[in-house]
Amino acid sequence: LDKIKADKETLQRVEEMLGGKSLRYLTQEEYDALSDEEKSNETIAKEVINGEWGNGEDRKNRLEKAGYNYIEVQTIVNKLLK
């Protein structure tokens, strides 16, 4: 993982969200899901277009695992590419 800067309050909040699990023990996938947590579907759609979420079934699985609705995101992708 890349090092991140955060104040003590933010780190405590994140650790509470993780059920007490320290950030330093997150897998890359868990970290990616956390960092994507507050992004809009349109932002995620732009990331999809930029290739940040993979392709095909891999993309669908990654989006859904991160808590996004694949159909909604893909619909925005399709509109942006028209």
Side-chain angles (χ1 to χ4, degrees):
L1 290 179
D2 294 331
K3 290 184 179 181
I4 59 170
K5 287 187 175 183
D7 59 62
K8 187 176 180 180
E9 182 179 320
T10 300
L11 289 174
Q12 287 174 336
R13 194 175 110 245
V14 170
E15 287 183 359
E16 285 174 17
M17 290 169 44
L18 298 171
K21 189 173 184 181
S22 174
L23 279 174
R24 74 183 79 157
Y25 299 109
L26 291 179
T27 64
Q28 185 65 47
E29 194 170 80
E30 289 171 323
Y31 178 78
D32 290 344
L34 266 181
S35 64
D36 295 331
E37 194 169 286
E38 304 213 8
K39 293 181 182 177
S40 69
N41 281 343
E42 184 157 325
T43 298
I44 297 300
K46 290 175 184 175
E47 290 179 359
V48 165
I49 292 168
N50 289 330
E52 297 176 36
W53 287 87
N55 294 302
E57 195 66 26
D58 177 51
R59 175 193 300 163
K60 182 179 183 210
N61 292 337
R62 289 178 64 199
L63 287 168
E64 289 176 349
K65 188 165 189 165
Y68 294 101
N69 181 310
Y70 170 77
I71 300 294
E72 289 177 13
V73 172
Q74 191 61 48
T75 299
I76 295 168
V77 168
N78 295 342
K79 286 180 183 178
L80 291 172
L81 292 176
K82 282 186 178 183

